[in-house]
Amino acid sequence: MKADKNYIINIRRQLHQIPEIGFELPKTLALVRRELEAIGLPYTETYGKSCIVATLNEGIGNKTIAIRADMDALPVQEETGLSFASTHPGKMHACGHDCHTAMLLGTAKKLKEMEKEIQCCVKFVFQSAEEGPGGAKTLCDDGLMDQVDMMIGCHLYPDKPSGTVSINKICQNAGSHGFKVHLYGKSCHVAKPHQGVDAIAMAVRVCTDIQIMRARELNPFDPVIIGIGEIHGGKANNVVCDYVMMHGTIRTHSNELDEHIYKRIEQISQGVATDMGGSAIVETTKYYPVLINDTAVADAIIQTAEKIVGRDKLYESPLTMGAEDFAYYTLCKPSAMFCLGAMPADGKFAPLHNGKMTVNEDVLDIAPNVFIQFVLDNM
């Protein structure tokens, strides 16, 4: 019942050479279509945007298990020196989605071979735009989750011990949301600052007050990140600036806390601007909710994974502030995601989203074997 490791590695290397971004995945989609047709699985592209959903055993049994892989890459220049490195300048599979897609194709291939043994329906979900702006949401909006009873998935990590499986039974990933603060002042000559309203000075106060709010108003035991990663403003060194835009992110493990922080950022920005004689507009962009694994599905994954990797390679994932749009599925149906350790054999690794990131390909059949056994255990 084991997946074909050589097939998975071969597909992964093909995908690694053609990284594509967001919803623009023509070559990737063509490869997935080609392989599904060769495997003999029917598929549809009616759900989501630039997504493919293949189905095994339509109408068989009284349960439908969905398995998800993301397909998109990052705007990162590859620096690995691999013989199968990216052929698309400035784009790279630096987050392992080439592996995820290959692993799901390997799963589909093996389950198709076992078709008569499978007593339920299985859907293989090939999803776009996990890195943004959220391909999972487009699938949910189009009703995919109405067709399934549960969803499982895996994320590969080059910094976790190779061949290990980990999962957090409660909070697998933080929520991730963006905000922009637009500060409006009045320009004047720097020699006569009293005739203007300095938007840069407003921005300094807003940035500082947001961090004071984080440090003094919020429970220190609640994981929270409020980061300002982008500031634009000013035109000359002798002109009082009349406009500044600040772009930041919020990451927490609570959707309710996200809402509170949004309100406080707006209150702080408008209060500072009014105090200094200017004005402020806060623009919020909600990206990914908190990824809360369903306890029952997580327990089922643990029981299955122990059969594949053994107890000594199975552990609980620590809390992380990283985000994942798999969270949208968890809002719809019982769902859970686990992690696969894929540290290079020499123990030297570059982190995700780094141009030097590589993985240990020898473990790429582990997640497919967990998927296959999960279907057998829960069909």
Side-chain angles (χ1 to χ4, degrees):
M1 57 152 276
K2 291 187 176 181
D4 185 341
K5 184 190 297 186
N6 290 332
Y7 170 81
I8 295 167
I9 292 173
N10 179 46
I11 294 297
R12 182 258 167 160
R13 292 184 176 190
Q14 292 181 51
L15 288 164
H16 194 82
Q17 296 179 73
I18 54 168
E20 297 171 303
I21 308 295
F23 292 115
E24 301 301 318
L25 310 174
K27 293 182 181 179
T28 304
L29 290 168
L31 187 150
V32 172
R33 290 187 200 104
R34 181 195 75 197
E35 292 305 311
L36 290 173
E37 288 164 7
I39 292 168
L41 280 175
Y43 61 86
T44 180
E45 298 180 54
T46 58
Y47 296 105
K49 181 178 180 182
S50 299
C51 300
I52 294 175
V53 178
T55 303
L56 175 74
N57 283 351
E58 183 74 57
I60 300 296
N62 58 5
K63 181 182 290 185
T64 298
I65 299 172
I67 311 172
R68 174 268 207 165
D70 36 16
M71 300 182 289
D72 58 317
L74 286 158
V76 170
Q77 181 62 42
E78 181 156 359
E79 302 173 43
T80 62
L82 293 169
S83 60
F84 52 91
S86 169
T87 59
H88 296 171
K91 299 177 183 180
M92 178 189 172
H93 272 294
C95 201
H97 297 185
D98 52 339
C99 299
H100 300 170
T101 302
M103 291 190 300
L104 187 54
L105 284 169
T107 303
K109 182 174 183 289
K110 187 60 183 179
L111 285 175
K112 175 62 177 177
E113 293 170 3
M114 303 167 58
E115 187 172 12
K116 293 182 180 179
E117 302 173 45
I118 308 304
Q119 300 169 20
C120 71
C121 177
V122 183
K123 290 191 179 291
F124 307 93
V125 181
F126 297 89
Q127 180 213 302
S128 60
E130 189 281 324
E131 299 294 349
K137 187 175 187 302
T138 70
L139 286 159
C140 293
D141 288 346
D142 284 346
L144 171 67
M145 298 306 287
D146 296 336
Q147 311 302 315
V148 307
D149 295 294
M150 65 177 69
M151 172 87 80
I152 61 173
C154 172
H155 200 301
L156 177 146
Y157 285 89
D159 57 342
K160 293 181 182 290
S162 201
T164 58
V165 170
S166 58
I167 190 168
N168 191 298
K169 291 173 64 174
I170 303 174
C171 183
Q172 185 72 20
N173 288 87
S176 175
H177 304 292
F179 65 90
K180 289 182 180 180
V181 179
H182 302 274
L183 297 166
Y184 300 92
K186 179 182 177 182
S187 66
C188 68
H189 196 288
V190 73
K192 298 181 179 181
H194 58 290
Q195 294 180 352
V197 177
D198 192 342
I200 288 178
M202 280 192 275
V204 171
R205 281 185 57 183
V206 169
C207 186
T208 301
D209 286 359
I210 286 173
Q211 297 308 322
I212 292 173
M213 178 268 290
R214 162 69 186 96
R216 289 294 177 264
E217 293 183 22
L218 304 182
N219 188 331
F221 292 100
D222 288 333
V224 175
I225 291 173
I226 309 173
I228 308 293
E230 189 179 2
I231 297 181
H232 299 283
K235 298 175 183 177
N237 70 334
N238 61 349
V239 176
V240 169
C241 173
D242 63 351
Y243 170 74
V244 170
M245 187 281 289
M246 304 167 59
H247 193 188
T249 187
I250 301 169
R251 298 205 173 199
T252 77
H253 289 159
S254 164
N255 293 323
E256 293 74 23
L257 186 54
D258 288 339
E259 292 298 325
H260 173 75
I261 291 171
Y262 265 137
K263 290 178 182 177
R264 288 296 292 125
I265 289 173
E266 187 167 21
Q267 290 169 353
I268 289 167
S269 302
Q270 292 180 349
V272 167
T274 299
D275 184 53
M276 296 184 66
S279 62
I281 296 175
V282 177
E283 177 186 351
T284 59
T285 307
K286 296 186 178 181
Y287 291 118
Y288 301 160
V290 180
L291 199 172
I292 305 294
N293 277 337
D294 179 82
T295 302
V297 178
D299 282 337
I301 290 173
I302 290 169
Q303 293 171 17
T304 292
E306 186 172 357
K307 298 176 183 179
I308 304 302
V309 299
R311 190 69 200 168
D312 60 328
K313 289 193 174 183
L314 182 63
Y315 65 96
E316 183 176 0
S317 296
L319 293 174
T320 174
M321 300 309 287
E324 238 287 352
D325 79 342
F326 188 90
Y328 284 110
Y329 304 124
T330 69
L331 298 178
C332 301
K333 290 289 176 68
S335 303
M337 169 174 274
F338 65 92
C339 305
L340 172 65
M343 185 180 291
D346 61 5
K348 298 177 181 178
F349 66 88
L352 296 176
H353 292 219
N354 183 289
K356 293 183 172 65
M357 196 277 284
T358 59
V359 303
N360 182 354
E361 291 183 321
D362 194 49
V363 303
L364 294 187
D365 62 332
I366 291 178
N369 289 336
V370 172
F371 291 149
I372 293 161
Q373 188 64 49
F374 182 91
V375 170
L376 294 172
D377 290 346
N378 296 277
M379 61 187 180

